[in-house]
Amino acid sequence: MTLWQHIAARIGEATGSNFRPQPPHHLGGGCINTALRLADGDQEWFIKINTADRPAMFEAEAEGLATMAKTGTIRVPRPLLTGTYDGQSFIVMEYIASGGSGAGSQAAGEQLAAMHRHTAEHFGWHRDNTIGATHQPNDWRDTWIDFWREQRLGFQLDLAASNGYAYLKRLGEPLLERFPSLIDHDPQPSLLHGDLWGGNISSDREGRPVTFDPAVYYGDREADLAMTELFGGFEREFYAAYQTAWPLDPGYAVRKTLYNLYHVLNHTNLFGCGYAGQTQRMMERLLAEC
Ligand code: ADP
């Protein structure tokens, strides 16, 4: 039995249906995984496949999608199952066809703010997950400053040093000490998408916003907003709607750089020196702020 036949059988079991799909249609666009669409006349499913050592990545993704779906706010694909077979791991979720424009729209701003209203007692999540292909630790912390220092920036700085960027760790370490002056507000632990760049938001056929590929945890909602601005920014209506629903605190502009530094460092760790210069410039700018 091939992998896709195995997955089709699992889908049939999970849905209690006689799922007999056509051979898979391979989709492009994913940064990390191979993506397929499996469909018969009645059902269609989106499948991501990776090597067999990645089941935890997909289990955490499924749990993140389910957690977001439960809020009933911004649409995400509903996960169906995960598994491993024949040396590969996979996740199966609802297939959501892209439709008209709507990504980054007013509705997306309102719905993201509504999702951020779902809060936890502490910062973190009950399990680790993945950011891109990088491990993302989520140990609970009582304060946001401790969380961002230990579970986010400090973790990526250690990774940078082990990837040959010891100078970035040396430059970044003094920043960790200066978080109290950089993060000078008192955020709630909001449910975050965690990886909200433009490639992870779209719209369904009805034009409703949809987000994909989250790296969820409970943290400062500004970290989600910051990432929307990292690669060009969303539409103006998105920010206007978000600010109307839940205005950001003063000082966001500086914190935005600190939050995006995490993602740019992660890009350096994943894709190499093309991002190291940008990382260094962001650190220098932040050091000049405090
Ligand atoms: P990767 O984990 O490899 O980065 P993504 O989850 O980001 O892959 O998916 C890659 C692209 O595939 C997305 O940008 C989106 O356009 C599309 N996609 C993701 N999930 C679905 C889905 N459930 N239904 C339809 N298209 C999807």
Side-chain angles (χ1 to χ4, degrees), residues 88-147:
Q88 298 195 278
S89 49
F90 56 87
I91 180 169
V92 178
M93 66 186 83
E94 173 188 12
Y95 183 89
I96 300 181
S98 294
S101 65
S105 65
Q106 178 183 336
E110 288 165 1
Q111 291 171 12
L112 185 70
M115 189 183 84
H116 287 163
R117 296 273 185 199
H118 291 255
T119 55
E121 296 277 303
H122 306 283
F123 297 94
W125 203 34
H126 69 278
R127 65 182 299 167
D128 293 353
N129 49 14
T130 307
I131 183 78
T134 308
H135 181 73
Q136 175 165 271
N138 290 318
D139 290 356
W140 294 110
R141 290 289 179 270
D142 291 339
T143 70
W144 174 241
I145 285 181
D146 284 348
F147 182 83

Side-chain angles (χ1 to χ4, degrees), residues 27-35 46 48 58 61 77 93-98 197 199-200 202 212-213:
L27 305 165
C31 300
I32 310 296
N33 305 290
T34 302
F46 183 85
K48 293 202 286 189
F58 287 143
E61 181 172 343
M93 66 186 83
E94 173 188 12
Y95 183 89
I96 300 181
S98 294
W197 68 290
N200 281 343
S202 178
F212 302 108
D213 207 16

